[in-house]
């Protein structure tokens, strides 16, 4: 774990402000970052999904906050919904969220959660840099963390690329798209129709489409809104697309 001062105003303890974010480093290893009262804390954790990693980042902020009100700013809508009671009761995020709220109560931290755009999240760049550093130096392969319990096998969908477009079939799902970024359009379609609480393995995803799915800020403007909505809908149903590139 790394703790470093962050430039900017340090807010008094009576009105604490925190930002948190998680960034995938490799497979199930995430870099977590929390900026609490002007101090940046980074660490690593394993998680089955980005939404679970986001909750662990929020937990990191609670662990480093002083007793009193804590205004937590996150860019993950699933985190906001599950911590404010808006998520469905059977969401896989419910249990870790309850544990987080219990920790906050034990430490005397009154948690107030607010969604903000990623560009306003002070923890985004620390998490992104830490994940990039781990990938560059292959530290994510050697991280000493306990392995995750296996997930329940889900559906398997295979993409097939044709001269006039791309199709997807498997697990009772079927989609067809044409034109530029057809594979990304199919991922958006699959995200909207994936059953609740299921991991969908998508085989044959082009690397660029996989990159845009995990980094929607790089997506074209005409797809950004639908991509963000699809990712949000997927997380709220407790489902996940596991992208497998050739």
């Amino acid at each position: 774990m790394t703790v470093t001062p962050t430039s900017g105003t340090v807010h008094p303890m009576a009105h604490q402000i925190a930002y948190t974010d998680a960034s995938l480093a490799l497979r199930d290893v995430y870099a977590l970052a929390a900026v609490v009262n002007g101090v940046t804390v980074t660490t690593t954790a394993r998680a089955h999904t980005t939404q679970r990693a986001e909750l662990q980042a929020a937990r990191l902020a609670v662990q480093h906050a002083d007793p009193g009100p804590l205004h937590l700013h996150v860019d993950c809508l699933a985190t906001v919904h599950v911590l404010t009671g808006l998520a469905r009761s059977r969401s896989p995020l419910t249990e870790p969220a309850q544990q987080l709220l219990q920790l906050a109560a034990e430490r005397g931290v009154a948690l107030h959660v607010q969604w903000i755009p990623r560009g306003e999240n002070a923890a985004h760049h620390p998490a992104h840099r830490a994940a990039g550093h781990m990938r560059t130096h292959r530290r994510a392969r050697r991280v000493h963390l306990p392995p995750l319990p296996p997930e329940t096998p889900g559906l398997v969908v295979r993409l097939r690329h044709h001269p006039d477009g791309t199709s997807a079939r498997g697990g009772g799902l079927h989609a067809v798209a044409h034109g530029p970024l057809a594979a990304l359009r199919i991922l958006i379609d699959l995200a909207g129709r994936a059953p609740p609480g299921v991991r969908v393995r998508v085989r044959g995803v082009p690397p660029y489409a996989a990159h845009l799915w995990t980094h929607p800020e790089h997506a074209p403007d005409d797809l950004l809104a639908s991509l963000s909505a699809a990712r949000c809908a997927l997380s709220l149903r407790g489902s996940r697309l596991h992208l497998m590139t050739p």
Side-chain angles (χ1 to χ4, degrees):
M1 180 179 296
T2 304
V3 181
T4 56
T6 301
S7 59
T9 302
V10 177
H11 296 270
M13 296 303 102
H15 184 69
Q16 302 177 96
I17 293 182
Y19 301 84
T20 63
D21 203 5
S23 183
L24 180 64
L26 181 71
R27 295 180 183 173
D28 59 359
V29 179
Y30 287 80
L32 311 181
V35 180
V36 185
N37 300 317
V39 176
T40 300
V41 184
T42 59
T43 188
T44 56
R46 292 190 188 276
H48 282 307
T49 66
T50 301
Q51 290 73 35
R52 288 178 179 266
E54 293 278 0
L55 276 177
Q56 293 191 56
R59 184 183 183 92
L60 187 65
V62 171
Q63 291 172 334
H64 286 81
D66 291 321
L70 175 64
H71 293 263
L72 177 62
H73 298 78
V74 299
D75 58 27
C76 178
L77 278 174
T79 301
V80 176
H81 289 165
V82 76
L83 289 178
T84 56
L86 296 178
R88 62 187 182 86
S89 59
R90 297 181 59 187
S91 168
L93 301 178
T94 299
E95 183 176 350
Q98 291 174 343
Q99 294 172 353
L100 170 58
L101 294 174
Q102 179 64 31
L103 173 65
E106 292 172 355
R107 302 197 70 252
V109 175
L111 198 58
H112 304 273
V113 187
Q114 177 181 344
W115 179 85
I116 58 172
R118 176 170 295 177
E120 299 178 12
N121 190 348
H124 173 68
H125 290 298
H128 189 70
R129 284 196 301 267
H133 182 75
M134 293 177 70
R135 287 191 294 268
T136 300
H137 298 279
R138 298 184 181 274
R139 288 179 54 206
R141 299 180 185 275
R142 304 190 303 272
V143 66
H144 298 292
L145 294 169
L148 289 169
E151 284 189 308
T152 303
L155 307 177
V156 178
V157 176
R158 181 178 295 277
L159 297 191
R160 298 189 182 278
H161 306 284
H162 314 284
D164 59 342
T166 300
S167 63
R169 184 182 296 275
L173 300 175
H174 177 65
V176 177
H178 305 279
L181 299 179
L184 180 61
R185 297 176 189 275
I186 282 184
L187 295 179
I188 293 172
D189 189 9
L190 292 177
R193 296 191 287 119
V198 171
R199 178 177 58 175
V200 181
R201 294 181 176 88
V202 187
R203 301 181 182 273
V205 179
Y208 187 56
H211 170 79
L212 293 179
W213 175 262
T214 55
H215 298 85
E217 66 273 17
H218 298 159
D221 291 341
D222 61 326
L223 289 178
L224 182 57
S226 58
L227 175 56
S228 299
R231 287 168 54 90
C232 179
L234 194 70
S235 64
L236 290 177
R237 292 200 306 275
S239 301
R240 174 189 178 191
L241 294 188
H242 181 76
L243 308 186
M244 308 177 72
T245 57

